[in-house]
Amino acid sequence: MRALILNCTLKPLPEPSNTQKLADVVGAELGEHGVDVESVRVADLRVEPGVQTDMGDDWTGVHEKLLSAEILVIASPTWLGRPSSVAQRVLERMDAMMSETDDEERPVAYNRVAGVVVTGNEDGAHHVISEITGALNDIGYTIPGQAWTYWNMGPGPGPDYSDTDHGHDWSRTTATTMASNLLAVATALAKQPIPA
């Protein structure tokens, strides 16, 4: 089984990503159960605005990775209480998947599961989770219960995830639950797929 983590931080490499650090907790847990995990930092790619799969940019490679993964994790920082602009662009490009079908005429996202990782120094994690999972559900992904984890320091400025241990135990616990729930539902769908 394969998992793809799309890190929607605004920071390109080599800048450190707090969002990646929490997403790595989920990835490590999935890896412990034999899942092949790949992580892509979208800010390092050329992804044009639009709602088509092939626009002559790097998105076509991401699209291929989406189609080869049974598990998708979208990881986003919180900015102004909302998903990052990179996360929004990812969802807009994924919109094209709504009209793409498999050999049995099902939407290509059917029988795939998805979850969300959120970091930030302000409230809004549940809002970000709701926006992203709502969009992924529209596209056709199955969203298991509690397929999310987040970390923040509450409203206003404060330290980053990497700067403090505050709240890490809770975030790790929910990340472990998230990984377990994603794998359980992905395994169930592999055994009994959603019919055409």
Side-chain angles (χ1 to χ4, degrees), residues 18-19 22 76-82 117-129 148-162 164-172 174:
N18 295 291
T19 303
L22 184 53
S76 175
T78 309
W79 292 111
L80 301 173
R82 306 183 60 80
V117 171
V118 181
T119 58
N121 282 328
E122 54 197 61
D123 284 336
H126 277 94
H127 176 75
V128 173
I129 292 164
W148 49 260
T149 187
Y150 67 87
W151 177 91
N152 68 38
M153 288 291 292
D160 291 332
Y161 179 82
S162 302
T164 178
D165 289 332
H166 173 80
H168 283 214
D169 287 344
W170 184 88
S171 293
R172 285 189 191 105
T174 54

Side-chain angles (χ1 to χ4, degrees), residues 37-95:
V37 181
E38 180 178 4
S39 186
V40 173
R41 192 183 291 208
V42 182
D44 290 331
L45 307 176
R46 186 172 67 88
V47 178
E48 300 293 335
V51 291
Q52 299 172 344
T53 294
D54 190 352
M55 296 179 64
D57 60 5
D58 295 331
W59 182 255
T60 51
V62 176
H63 181 263
E64 290 173 9
K65 294 176 190 296
L66 287 166
L67 296 183
S68 69
E70 293 85 4
I71 299 170
L72 170 64
V73 174
I74 293 190
S76 175
T78 309
W79 292 111
L80 301 173
R82 306 183 60 80
S84 73
S85 57
V86 175
Q88 183 61 37
R89 182 160 295 185
V90 162
L91 294 172
E92 287 170 350
R93 292 299 294 270
M94 289 179 71
D95 181 85

